[in-house]
Each structure stands twice: as C-alpha cells, then as structure tokens.
Amino acid sequence: GAGVSQSPSNKVTEKGKDVELRCDPISGHTALYWYRQSLGQGLEFLIYFQGNSAPDKSGLPSDRFSAERTGGSVSTLTIQRTQQEDSAVYLCASSLLAGLYEQYFGPGTRLTVT
Amino acid sequence: AQSVAQPEDQVNVAEGNPLTVKCTYSVSGNPYLFWYVQYPNRGLQFLLKYITGDNLVKGSYGFEAEFNKSQTSFHLKKPSALVSDSALYFCAVRDIATRNRDDKIIFGKGTRLHILP
C-alpha cells in the first residue's frame, strides 16, 4: 500500500515569507508526528497528533510554527515569517497508535530559506 | 521523564567484522525500544523493536538488538558488517509506565556508522 507522502519535496523561500508543508499519512494510522532534521543531524521533535486528542505541541520552536490535522488524516505544518535558521528537512511520520507501533516516515520536505 | 542516549556520534567498523551501535535509556517504568536507520539520501526506516518477551530481538537486514534491563541498554548488533550498512542509526524509547496512552516516542541524536571496505 501507499506509504507516507509529503509535499513539496523541496521548497525554496525568501526570508519573511510563510510556507506550508503537507503530510499524507498511511490510511488508518491514528498517530502523526512532525520532526525537523538539520543536515545529517538528529531528529528534533516538533508536534504530535493522536486521534482526536489535543496535539502535543511541546517541540515547536516558536509561535511562528503551527500545525493542523484535518479529519484525522492530512496534516499541514505552517511556518510564518520564515528565518534562515528554519532551513532543514521536515519529516512527517505516522503510526497505528502512538508509542506501541513503529513509525513510518515520509521522504521529507527540504526547506531552504534564502 | 524519559530519555535515550547514543554515546557515540560515529562508529567505524571494517567490513566483515561484528558491529555494535550503543543505546542507553532512562524511563520510570518498562520501556518500548526501537531502532531506525537512515540510509544516505533516503527516508528513515524501522529496523526492529522490543516490547516484551525475549531480550534478543531480530530485525531487518540481519540486525539484532539485545535488551538489558539491569544496564538500561538496547545495543544494536550485527555479526558481520557490510559496506551497505553505512548509514545513520537512531534509537528511540517510549515509557509504558505513563498512564497517558497518547505518549510520544523520544529519539536519540543518532550514530553514524561507517563500514570500511
């Protein structure tokens, strides 16, 4: 079946512009995660959705970052007034149920802020 | 609070030799433990997990990991390394002691494995 998909695969934007990154999780997966990975580095947790529960936003680095998950499926990560330090690969993952099952990762969106 | 540590930023192993990538964890109860791999220019992939049962867990690509409760470790191992094993490896943990079943998984910072031909 289809895996986790993300769009766009690459995004170049000017400093100060807003960007939206999209994630389509695997059908039936109730948990959805966003991470950020700087070049070849570790994973930085951003936000996590589980079913209809309030999302865990504890990893969002500033109030310029927000995310939504509509209908328990597709998620959008929005970065307002982008800064150069926002440049990274943004990864989305989904799993059947948070914590119990392995996460399936999308290919990521490479964001470059010029 | 739960945490996971990968003490080595990089591990170099000659092809054909056994390899070990270290992971230690800290949780208040019993852990769920995971290993993931990220090959160059590819997405993260699940390798194996420990939930309960046998302490030695076998996973994809010939990898295995040993859960050691007394040492709070979950080291990744392979008996004979291949050049194609060169990648970035992440250990992850979830604390099943928490009553909130919506708890998230915490990832280590990653260990880069270089297999030398």
Side-chain angles (χ1 to χ4, degrees):
Chain A
V4 177
S5 61
Q6 293 186 245
S7 61
S9 55
N10 280 285
K11 177 71 177 179
V12 180
T13 189
E14 292 179 352
K15 177 181 174 180
K17 301 285 189 183
D18 298 351
V19 295
E20 285 190 352
L21 312 180
R22 176 187 168 103
C23 172
D24 277 279
I26 293 173
S27 177
H29 281 192
T30 63
L32 186 148
Y33 309 77
W34 284 99
Y35 298 93
R36 180 166 69 175
Q37 186 178 29
S38 300
L39 185 63
Q41 299 302 309
L43 295 176
E44 177 186 4
F45 165 76
L46 297 177
I47 187 169
Y48 143 69
F49 298 86
Q50 170 59 58
N52 295 322
S53 301
D56 179 344
K57 303 179 182 180
S58 60
L60 294 178
S62 77
D63 58 7
R64 296 186 295 105
F65 289 72
S66 62
E68 290 184 339
R69 189 179 186 191
T70 54
S73 181
V74 172
S75 177
T76 301
L77 177 69
T78 301
I79 309 174
Q80 295 178 311
R81 304 180 304 280
T82 52
Q83 304 295 313
Q84 288 187 331
E85 59 263 29
D86 299 335
S87 297
V89 176
Y90 289 81
L91 295 169
C92 175
S94 70
S95 69
L96 273 173
L97 188 65
L100 292 173
Y101 296 93
E102 56 271 26
Q103 296 180 21
Y104 292 83
F105 283 80
T109 294
R110 182 176 298 278
L111 175 66
T112 303
V113 181
T114 61
Chain B
Q2 58 188 8
S3 66
V4 60
Q6 294 180 243
E8 302 154 318
D9 290 336
Q10 181 169 309
V11 172
N12 297 323
V13 177
E15 186 177 25
N17 283 1
L19 70 86
T20 299
V21 183
K22 296 180 180 177
C23 172
T24 59
Y25 64 89
S26 175
V27 298
S28 56
N30 292 319
Y32 288 171
L33 293 156
F34 304 80
W35 275 102
Y36 290 81
V37 60
Q38 187 175 36
Y39 295 104
N41 300 315
R42 291 170 61 180
L44 271 148
Q45 300 176 36
F46 166 76
L47 267 182
L48 51 81
K49 66 181 177 183
Y50 171 82
I51 302 297
T52 187
D54 290 342
N55 290 339
L56 186 64
V57 178
K58 294 188 182 297
S60 307
Y61 311 119
F63 283 93
E64 58 189 28
E66 185 170 10
F67 171 63
N68 188 317
K69 189 172 183 178
S70 63
Q71 297 186 2
T72 61
S73 67
F74 189 57
H75 300 333
L76 182 70
K77 300 182 179 183
K78 187 173 182 180
S80 179
L82 300 173
V83 172
S84 58
D85 294 328
S86 298
L88 188 56
Y89 290 80
F90 292 95
C91 182
V93 66
R94 188 244 177 179
D95 184 355
I96 64 172
T98 58
R99 291 181 178 231
N100 179 4
R101 64 195 294 267
D102 295 342
D103 205 3
K104 61 182 181 286
I105 292 177
I106 302 298
F107 280 80
K109 63 178 175 61
T111 298
R112 190 164 298 280
L113 178 64
H114 288 285
I115 307 301
L116 309 171

